[in-house]
Amino acid sequence: MPTTHADQEIDFSGLSYPQEGALVSYIEDFGKFELDSKKGETTCSSVLLCAYDESVNKFEGLEGAAYLTSHSLIIHGLQDYIPVCLLTFYFYTRSLSISKNSNYIKYSKEPDVDSKKDYIYDRRKLLSENVPENSIVLIDGPIIGGNMATATIDLNKQLSSKGAVPICFVKNSSSNMVTDNIAELRGRYNSDMHWAYGFLRPGERTNLFKYTDGVNPNLTKVFCYVKAFDVSPQRIELDLTTYSRHAGNIDDLFDLVYYLLLAQGDLRNPQIRSIAIAEKYARATLKLINFEQMMIDLGITPTMNQERFAW
Amino acid sequence: MWIVLGEDRGRIRLVSSSETCGLLPKGSFLTVDDNGNKYILRIADSQQIEPYSPAPMLADMDLSPLKPDQKCQNVVYAYRVADLTDRRDGLIDFIRPQLTARRSTQEEIDKALAFKMVGPRVFLATVQGGKNQVLVDEQGNLIKVSIPLEVFYHQILICGKVGSGKTVASKYLAQYFVEELEGLGAVLAVNVKDVDLLMMDKPSSTTNEAVLNEWKSLGQKAHGIDNFTVYYPANISIEPGQGVNQDICKRITLNVQTIEPEALSGLLVGVSDIAAQHLPNIFRSWQNRMNRSEKGGFTFNDFVQYFERGVEDKYSYETLNARGDSGTITIPWGTYHNILRNLEYAVEFFDNEEAQNISANDILVRGKMSVINVAGEKGIQFGSVLLRHLLKNIVEEKQTGRSKVPILIIIDEVHQFWDTTSSKEALGELDLICRTGRSKEIGVIFSSQNPSDIPRGLSNVINTKIFFKSDRSSARDYDLSVSTEEIQNLGKGYAIANIHGLSQAKVLKFPLAMAGVFEEASSN
């Protein structure tokens, strides 16, 4: 097993909806709504839940960068969580001579960008093939927009055809989709999270907002902020199609989300319980491979940063 | 099914598979299969783990938990007790991670632990928390084990609180000794309270399904011991209302002419070892003189009067030691009075014309169980003298080869007969038996509520220790994580054991004796 874990968070900031999008409207009246954990408990026992998270190891070599990613989907079984994990490995290099000698080494001018693309395609593959029918899919990370919007549209279509309901969760974000677009809030807050933290009491959510992708106007998401405990809120995102289909019982979904935040019970780092379990599996499966040693065995020369920080 | 995780400080660590929904109790056996090779493990510790470690918040808010979060697994730590392999290169197989293990079968346990089929059979059992169970294989069959016969001759200590099953276990072993031992042995037991051991001629009675099932598994059923005699001092009586069969009871007395002088030290419990050694030599000298005189017909009362007159000789007495050396001894004034008081107290034990004398020949009879009843007033003092007398006789009979009958002696509450501080010398024949019992086929079972009751000089020579429910016991001797609470809460008949030649059988369940145990319908 690796002595140092090289887990890293994927930076979705470039892949989320760009800030130049337009906040079209409030879907509900501006305000806040109390969440009901008891109703969430009831919903939880009547729906099939699954959750997705990933964990990534990156190895920076002089010859290029390697990414080992564990995509983890867990399904709530009757007595246990059922994990489905996909481990992927990519090596990106700017060297044509290195890449042309192998089918498995990718030539890339922007390894960071390409690694995210591969990540998104693999995630889509795992989810579309393994999410059970009529389930609620809780996904760690934002709805992917920008130039990867097609992948999101495809995934939504595939999940929709299974009757599945994808819901995305964003824990850390400095976006100001709300605070920039509502005149009364403009300039008063550092970010939407900053605003929502003060606006909400624990156990509440904001009203739903609708926001349209600046690149692809066909891609519109619906979101709100949820504050489970007296710490930074989370943003919950659904694509417009999903929302439209479930608008009638949307409160049940938010109550469910609240219940699952309570189930995790972490006051300092609130997380959806199911996503936390998926994360555990992602990390555990990643540790099955001694990634760093494997790279060294393959003759990849670590950069100084890799040597010093080992991610 | 359990999955091997690896080794942790000499113990194999395993975790239960998903379909296993319970804890494997301590004392259980697992078999790891590896391509035809088998490794037998004994569970030393068994714990519950919760892989998802859910927070208590939902329950605290009166919300029901997520079912998968409640998943538990069983992690066990096991000692490797045997390898069933053909490996001959001097190395030992690895027990590889991710091999699977299942509960061992009777056959595997017999093979692995080299259990012999000869000897009293008991059940392997488990202990976990406050729960005891007889060990079963995957098919639910009770796992049995035979206590090696040598155990009898390496001395046994049975400890336990009242009602824990120690007397029943003694009865079970006694019944085996007189009924099933090859050639049949003889049993001498001392009954110190109630009618505990006085009804071994009667079949046990029980309606307890578990007991009946155990008997069935052993091919046994309730039956009394055919050749059974209760001896009791002539100065006490066994009331008919006690349920004891009067036809098998015999009154006995001590004969001053034939009593072993050393046996009189049994009267002096509480006196220092050295002081207690004077009396036998004084008595021997007197007895020798009286036996040689032509008067005959002397009694123990004559000796008491002789001893009393010692005050006229300034407490000076002639002595004769066991080697035949004569001498003179002057005893201190305090010792004189102490001995005199005990002698006067014991007069009624001797020379009763309506009772018979008992000797080793009455005891050393194949297939016979003899019980000396010393329950009641003055019984212990009587028993204390008689036991020394008989032990001396028995050892002589065996050493001279006049008797080849194996003998098992059961002494309940041994501290009442010998001081717990008794030295090796003061223990006399008892110490000799414990050290030479194997060659002479003399076994002793010491039964007591507390291990500290055992005379200090004996505890080192007792090779088998069986602890039923006890107040105190040293769990660290068992290679088993048994807590004080678990020992204090052992079920009736269950014991933690350290058995000579059967070191891997740590937790046992003794079957109910087929004779002399009468359970209420509701009892356990």
Side-chain angles (χ1 to χ4, degrees):
Chain A
M1 301 298 282
T3 49
T4 51
H5 308 313
D7 299 346
Q8 66 169 36
E9 291 286 319
I10 292 180
D11 178 9
F12 289 106
S13 56
L15 293 170
S16 188
Y17 284 27
Q19 294 296 304
E20 61 271 26
L23 180 65
V24 176
S25 62
Y26 307 130
I27 287 190
E28 297 164 315
D29 291 341
F30 183 82
K32 50 194 176 184
F33 299 85
E34 201 171 327
L35 298 165
D36 188 334
S37 57
K38 201 73 192 167
K39 283 185 181 169
E41 174 195 358
T42 309
T43 304
C44 186
S45 60
S46 63
V47 296
L48 180 56
L49 286 173
C50 53
Y52 170 87
D53 198 3
E54 80 291 309
S55 188
V56 183
N57 271 2
K58 181 182 177 185
F59 187 94
E60 294 260 26
L62 295 179
E63 297 83 354
Y67 290 79
L68 179 69
T69 305
S70 174
H71 301 263
S72 164
L73 173 72
I74 64 101
I75 300 159
H76 283 234
L78 285 177
Q79 304 292 337
D80 197 357
Y81 296 107
I82 302 159
V84 184
C85 294
L86 172 68
L87 270 173
T88 61
F89 172 77
Y90 294 101
F91 193 87
Y92 305 97
T93 180
R94 293 189 183 92
S95 162
L96 277 170
S97 59
I98 291 176
S99 61
K100 74 180 179 188
N101 288 328
S102 169
N103 293 330
Y104 302 101
I105 295 176
K106 292 193 170 191
Y107 172 75
S108 171
K109 285 182 178 170
E110 293 180 292
D112 265 1
V113 174
D114 288 337
S115 71
K116 287 189 178 72
K117 283 182 184 170
D118 285 329
Y119 156 78
I120 288 164
Y121 289 134
D122 291 335
R123 178 172 93 159
R124 184 183 65 184
K125 180 177 166 62
L126 175 76
L127 292 177
S128 61
E129 289 178 1
N130 294 287
V131 161
E133 290 184 356
N134 303 315
S135 59
I136 294 173
V137 193
L138 310 161
I139 299 169
D140 186 50
I143 291 182
I144 306 296
N147 53 11
M148 291 300 294
T150 318
T152 301
I153 293 167
D154 288 350
L155 178 60
N156 283 339
K157 273 186 190 168
Q158 284 160 336
L159 293 179
S160 175
S161 68
K162 288 181 160 192
V165 186
I167 307 175
C168 294
F169 295 84
V170 183
K171 275 198 300 186
N172 302 304
S173 167
S174 56
S175 73
N176 37 28
M177 294 178 286
V178 176
T179 51
D180 275 2
N181 287 283
I182 296 177
E184 299 81 44
L185 304 179
R186 196 170 298 138
R188 293 176 58 192
Y189 297 95
N190 179 53
S191 65
D192 286 357
M193 292 284 192
H194 180 207
W195 160 72
Y197 174 72
F199 183 61
L200 298 173
R201 288 181 305 172
E204 290 182 342
R205 72 166 175 91
T206 65
N207 60 291
L208 284 165
F209 300 95
K210 189 161 77 175
Y211 192 86
T212 302
D213 191 323
V215 176
N216 183 352
N218 293 325
L219 199 63
T220 300
K221 68 179 176 186
V222 173
F223 68 93
C224 70
Y225 290 90
V226 167
K227 183 175 170 181
F229 310 117
D230 194 18
V231 287
S232 176
Q234 298 192 36
R235 190 168 70 237
I236 303 176
E237 301 182 349
L238 301 94
D239 80 281
L240 185 60
T241 323
T242 305
Y243 169 74
S244 305
R245 225 176 28 245
H246 299 281
N249 52 5
I250 201 72
D251 281 331
D252 292 345
L253 285 181
F254 292 126
D255 290 337
L256 170 67
V257 165
Y258 182 44
Y259 171 77
L260 292 172
L261 286 167
L262 296 177
Q264 177 63 7
D266 190 339
L267 297 174
R268 285 179 294 184
N269 179 26
Q271 202 175 3
I272 296 289
R273 176 65 180 161
S274 323
I275 291 176
I277 300 293
E279 183 185 5
K280 279 177 192 268
Y281 274 102
R283 286 174 188 247
T285 46
L286 208 55
K287 288 178 195 168
L288 293 174
I289 294 169
N290 190 339
F291 182 49
E292 197 172 337
Q293 188 60 48
M294 186 174 84
M295 289 296 95
I296 291 166
D297 291 347
L298 286 171
I300 308 299
T301 313
T303 61
M304 287 303 287
N305 274 349
Q306 180 69 33
E307 286 275 43
R308 289 174 63 199
F309 306 118
W311 274 100
Chain B
M1 184 176 79
W2 283 258
I3 300 156
V4 175
L5 294 174
E7 190 179 290
D8 183 3
R9 282 175 283 183
R11 301 187 299 180
I12 306 297
R13 194 158 65 98
L14 304 97
V15 66
S16 60
S17 62
S18 301
E19 76 270 16
T20 305
C21 54
L23 295 173
L24 188 64
K26 288 176 282 192
S28 304
F29 288 84
L30 283 178
T31 299
V32 179
D33 281 301
D34 186 7
N35 291 322
N37 293 330
K38 289 179 179 178
Y39 314 104
I40 311 298
L41 311 176
R42 178 174 51 76
I43 307 306
D45 203 358
S46 181
Q47 298 165 3
Q48 169 184 312
I49 59 161
E50 304 78 27
Y52 299 118
S53 312
M57 189 172 287
L58 285 185
D60 201 27
M61 295 176 72
D62 202 22
L63 295 168
S64 55
L66 291 162
K67 271 278 179 196
D69 270 351
Q70 292 184 299
K71 177 180 176 175
C72 292
Q73 284 178 290
N74 178 211
V75 169
V76 297
Y77 294 85
Y79 283 107
R80 178 179 191 159
V81 296
D83 291 2
L84 306 182
T85 72
D86 294 326
R87 189 157 191 166
R88 294 283 181 272
D89 63 357
L91 299 179
I92 296 170
D93 288 346
F94 292 118
I95 297 182
R96 300 175 190 283
Q98 300 185 3
L99 287 175
T100 58
R102 54 171 169 74
R103 282 189 276 182
S104 305
T105 63
Q106 174 80 62
E107 191 186 3
E108 287 165 347
I109 291 174
D110 288 347
K111 253 193 208 174
L113 307 185
F115 288 163
K116 294 173 184 168
M117 292 299 120
V118 180
R121 287 193 292 174
V122 294
F123 299 100
L124 286 178
T126 63
V127 56
Q128 189 76 30
K131 192 170 171 60
N132 301 119
Q133 299 176 73
V134 172
L135 191 63
V136 294
D137 63 16
E138 299 280 4
Q139 282 70 46
N141 300 311
L142 307 182
I143 302 283
K144 300 177 281 287
V145 58
S146 295
I147 295 178
L149 291 179
E150 304 89 83
V151 164
F152 283 118
Y153 308 122
H154 281 86
Q155 323 318 331
I156 302 170
L157 168 65
I158 299 180
C159 282
K161 293 172 87 170
V162 174
S164 63
K166 69 177 191 303
T167 305
V168 172
S170 300
K171 289 177 182 177
Y172 180 75
L173 295 173
Q175 193 165 11
Y176 176 88
F177 207 82
V178 294
E179 290 183 343
E180 295 185 55
L181 188 74
E182 190 179 357
L184 307 185
V187 169
L188 169 64
V190 183
N191 183 65
V192 294
K193 65 178 194 302
D194 302 329
V195 290
D196 269 358
L197 288 160
L198 306 187
M199 293 192 278
M200 293 295 287
D201 58 320
K202 296 177 180 171
S204 295
S205 65
T206 181
T207 53
N208 186 318
E209 280 297 324
V211 171
L212 296 172
N213 190 36
E214 288 171 8
W215 280 350
K216 187 179 171 190
S217 166
L218 295 171
Q220 290 284 5
K221 58 183 179 182
H223 64 277
I225 292 174
D226 290 337
N227 191 353
F228 179 66
T229 302
V230 174
Y231 297 99
Y232 66 100
N235 59 319
I236 66 167
S237 59
I238 296 177
E239 300 300 327
Q242 290 179 292
V244 179
N245 179 0
Q246 300 290 320
D247 296 341
I248 53 140
C249 296
K250 290 184 180 171
R251 299 176 75 194
I252 52 170
T253 189
L254 300 171
N255 185 340
V256 74
Q257 295 176 34
T258 56
I259 188 84
E260 289 293 338
E262 301 294 341
L264 289 191
S265 62
L267 292 172
L268 304 180
V269 173
V271 176
S272 72
D273 279 4
I274 291 175
Q277 281 168 22
H278 295 325
L279 179 61
N281 289 346
I282 294 168
F283 178 77
R284 185 179 290 107
S285 173
W286 177 84
Q287 187 190 43
N288 192 41
R289 208 163 47 243
M290 297 303 284
N291 275 332
R292 279 187 294 154
S293 79
E294 292 174 357
K295 286 183 187 174
F298 58 93
T299 66
F300 188 72
N301 198 37
D302 295 334
F303 174 67
V304 178
Q305 287 173 12
Y306 163 76
F307 188 83
E308 194 174 12
R309 284 197 300 273
V311 70
E312 297 162 10
D313 299 326
K314 298 183 178 171
Y315 313 116
S316 178
Y317 298 92
E318 289 180 14
T319 61
L320 182 67
N321 68 19
R323 289 180 304 182
D325 303 329
S326 302
T328 306
I329 184 82
T330 301
I331 58 174
W333 176 86
T335 305
Y336 165 81
H337 283 284
N338 197 342
I339 292 174
L340 182 60
R341 190 171 61 251
N342 281 294
L343 291 177
E344 286 170 343
Y345 185 81
V347 166
E348 62 189 273
F349 301 159
F350 287 85
D351 312 316
N352 190 316
E353 290 177 358
E354 293 171 4
Q356 71 173 75
N357 295 320
I358 185 171
S359 72
N361 290 330
D362 296 303
I363 307 298
L364 290 166
V365 177
R366 290 191 185 276
K368 179 182 179 184
M369 180 170 180
S370 307
V371 174
I372 299 168
N373 180 41
V374 296
E377 196 183 357
K378 295 189 177 180
I380 294 296
Q381 285 83 354
F382 176 85
S384 198
V385 175
L386 179 61
L387 203 50
R388 284 166 171 79
H389 173 70
L390 285 176
L391 292 183
K392 178 96 175 167
N393 275 187
I394 288 167
V395 169
E396 272 178 12
E397 289 293 305
K398 301 282 286 182
Q399 276 184 330
T400 55
R402 287 196 293 269
S403 174
K404 296 197 181 304
V405 180
I407 173 87
L408 177 65
I409 300 160
I410 301 173
I411 306 175
D412 199 2
E413 309 296 351
V414 64
H415 63 288
Q416 297 201 30
F417 303 108
W418 280 272
D419 276 351
T420 54
T421 54
S422 294
S423 64
K424 211 168 88 171
E425 289 72 27
L427 291 166
E429 299 304 322
L430 195 58
D431 177 68
L432 182 66
I433 287 172
C434 287
R435 290 174 195 280
T436 62
R438 190 179 176 196
S439 58
K440 301 288 180 284
E441 290 189 313
I442 309 175
V444 185
I445 296 177
F446 298 101
S447 176
S448 171
Q449 291 197 36
N450 196 326
S452 61
D453 289 344
I454 302 302
R456 196 180 50 206
L458 288 180
S459 51
N460 289 340
V461 293
I462 297 172
N463 286 292
T464 292
K465 292 172 180 163
I466 301 169
F467 291 89
F468 288 88
K469 179 178 179 177
S470 309
D471 273 339
R472 46 185 287 207
S473 183
S474 174
R476 64 171 178 263
D477 297 338
Y478 308 133
D479 277 350
L480 199 67
S481 293
V482 184
S483 65
T484 305
E485 287 73 21
E486 283 171 328
I487 292 184
Q488 286 175 346
N489 291 306
L490 281 172
K492 202 171 179 178
Y494 287 90
I496 307 291
N498 195 346
I499 293 180
H500 178 75
L502 201 65
S503 58
Q504 297 301 342
K506 298 292 181 188
V507 190
L508 302 177
K509 164 74 169 62
F510 274 79
L512 198 72
M514 285 72 73
V517 186
F518 311 99
E519 287 197 333
E520 298 294 329
S522 59
S523 70
N524 184 14

